[in-house]
Every structure is written in C-alpha cells, then in structure tokens.
Amino acid sequence: MRVGAARAAAVRWVAAHARRAPGYRGAYFSGSTVGKPDDAELPPSSDVDVVVVTAQDEPPVKPGKLRYEGALLEISYVPWAELRDPAAVLSSYHLAGSFRSDTVIDDPTGRLRALYAEVAPRFAGRDWVRRRCLDARHRVESRLAAFDASAPFHEQVPAWMFPTGVTTHVLLVAALRNPTVRLRYPAVREVLTAHGQPELYPELLGLLGCADVSERRVRHHVAELTRTFDATVPVARTPFFFSSDLTAQARPIAVDGSLELLDRGDHREAVFWIVATLARCHTVLAVDAPALHAARLPAFEAAVAELTGITGTTDILARREEVIRFLPRLWAAAEDIMAAGPDTTEMSAGPLPERRPLC
C-alpha cells in the first residue's frame, strides 16, 4: 500500500469514528509517515499514526492498532490541554515533530492549524531543539531513577531498556529526525554516520548489551518470540497501554518487523523490539495465563541473557549506572549535531513567549 492511500483511509476513519466521540476537537498525523510523499511504499511492518485530540483531561483508552480499508492504523488520544501552549509543544520531543509540517486531518475549532502556524517556523530554532533534547535526556534520567528493583523480572527489563533506548532519541531530536520507536537504532546509526561520529554507535548498542550478538542467536530468539506472541494473543484479556501491540493486527510489526530487520542485516538493531515485545507478552501472561507465563518464562530469560547480557536485577542496576555515566558523552555528541544543523531562529516569526496559550 502507498502512504497516500493509507493516509486517505485514516482520514475516512476519523470522519466515520473519531468525530462522534464526546469532546472531539480534531485529529492529526504523527510518527514515521510524517513528511513521506504519498507515492512512497508503506511496508507491512509500518503503520500510520493518528492522534485524536480530545477536550477530556483523561482521554479514553486508546484503540491502538486497527485495520481499516486495508491500512494498519495506530490510533491514540491527546488532551487539548497538552497542546494549548505552543511553547510547551515546541519543548516536547514527542509532540513537536507532528507540527513541523501540516499534518492536520480535521480541525473543527481551527486551533490545530493555529498551533501549526506557531510551531513550524520555530521548529528548527536552536533553543527549541536544545529544549527538546533536554526533554529526552530528562526522560532517560527520570525513568532510570524510578526503576523498581522489587518488580517481577519481566517488568524490570522494559523499565531499564526503554529509558536506555531513549539515548538514541536525544541524538535523533538533535538532528531534527523523527524519534521513532521500533527503528530507533538504525535511525540513530544513520545520524551518527552522517555527522562523523560512527564510533559512538557501538557504545549505544553496548548500553543495550547487543553490540556483539550474533545473527544466529537473534534468529533463534525471534522464533521463540513468535511462539510466545502467538500464545499470548488468544489469552490476552486485561487492558494495558501496549495491548494493541499484542494482537493479530499487530503481528506484522511485532514479529515480521523483527524478521525484516534480520533479513536486511540489522540483527543487532532488532534486539530492542524483540526483547520489548517478549517482556510485554509476559506482563500479560502473568495476569491472564499464569501457567503459560511460567511455561514460556525460560525462553524469555534466555533471550534477555543472550541478547542483552542481563541475568537479573544486579545486572540491570549495573547497566543503569553505565547509562548514567554515558550521559555527558551523549550530550556532547548531541551538541555537536545541533551545531552542525540548521538554525531557523533568525528566519522564524520571532521569539515565542513562554506562555502563549491558544485558548
């Protein structure tokens, strides 16, 4: 499917379903398809991210991944309160990228286009880029600090791994690149190579523990992931924020996407999402199918040990300290990347007040 056709399906989904919801305020595109031409091919392992804006401060549970007119959509909600202040959006590394170009699907109030008009000309301003990089760095620090060593191992692993992976986002944001989730490591490799810092990439993989992992072992654990994933989908009942990633509709991304990375030679880059998906499966199984959780647990523990070098809480705590010690070096690299990039501060519509809410 072409990106344009998938976007058109998303527009029709919004018209048919989102507009009916109480508190609906509009919708826009986000994620990896932003900026791609309509005639670009949308791989089966990719979806189209649609953000529905709501007046509710506590949005409903996101529908997540769903198939509509042949397109795989990822639907999420954001409260308008998070978008009201353009300065706050410009400072947020997970919000600003959606408004660097016109991604608005539907805007009954006119506020989304007003937000775009404020954000787009200032997006590459050096001060705003630095704020977004600091936002990403703060996420690494705060989430590692919140690590709970008393949690079950299958919850400890993602609690360490996700903030560790956000180290890539610091650099992607510095380079004005999309801070993608599943493909963050191939993306940051491109950035570091383009900016003459390829030696930093093995260090990032080292923090994850997969710098020297073999393709053969990764393929073995993808096969185990497939078994665990296919066993989890039919028994999943309890809602989690990631539940839509563990469905039949999500299989092309959760499982086939990892195989796609292996087939193109990116076996180390596949480790992040393999382990993340396994951990999520076990979070579900521990609640909804404890016997199956116990039966599949040895495969999970083996995957974590062989792909990341983590065998228990002590290893995670040590790796957490490695990430913290690495942050000054990471920040120096981010500063170099920012310095080499464009700075639209002088070309923008002028400085934006700290508080300029679009009421």
Side-chain angles (χ1 to χ4, degrees), residues 227-311:
R227 296 184 184 97
T228 299
F229 184 93
D230 289 342
T232 301
V233 169
V235 301
R237 299 289 182 271
T238 303
F240 293 91
F241 73 91
F242 53 77
S243 289
S244 68
D245 291 324
L246 304 180
T247 62
Q249 291 88 344
R251 197 179 190 277
I253 295 176
V255 175
D256 299 344
S258 295
L259 287 170
E260 179 184 290
L261 284 172
L262 265 72
D263 289 342
R264 74 185 200 190
D266 288 337
H267 62 281
R268 300 181 300 174
E269 289 71 18
V271 166
F272 178 85
W273 203 239
I274 292 169
V275 175
T277 304
L278 276 169
R280 288 175 165 182
C281 286
H282 278 278
T283 298
V284 170
L285 292 176
V287 176
D288 293 336
L292 187 53
H293 164 61
R296 296 300 304 162
L297 193 58
F300 169 68
E301 292 173 341
V304 176
E306 294 188 13
L307 299 182
T308 72
I310 297 292
T311 60

Side-chain angles (χ1 to χ4, degrees), residues 73-89:
L73 310 180
E74 169 81 24
I75 311 296
S76 58
Y77 291 97
V78 64
W80 171 249
E82 293 188 16
L83 302 176
R84 183 178 290 117
D85 181 9
V89 173

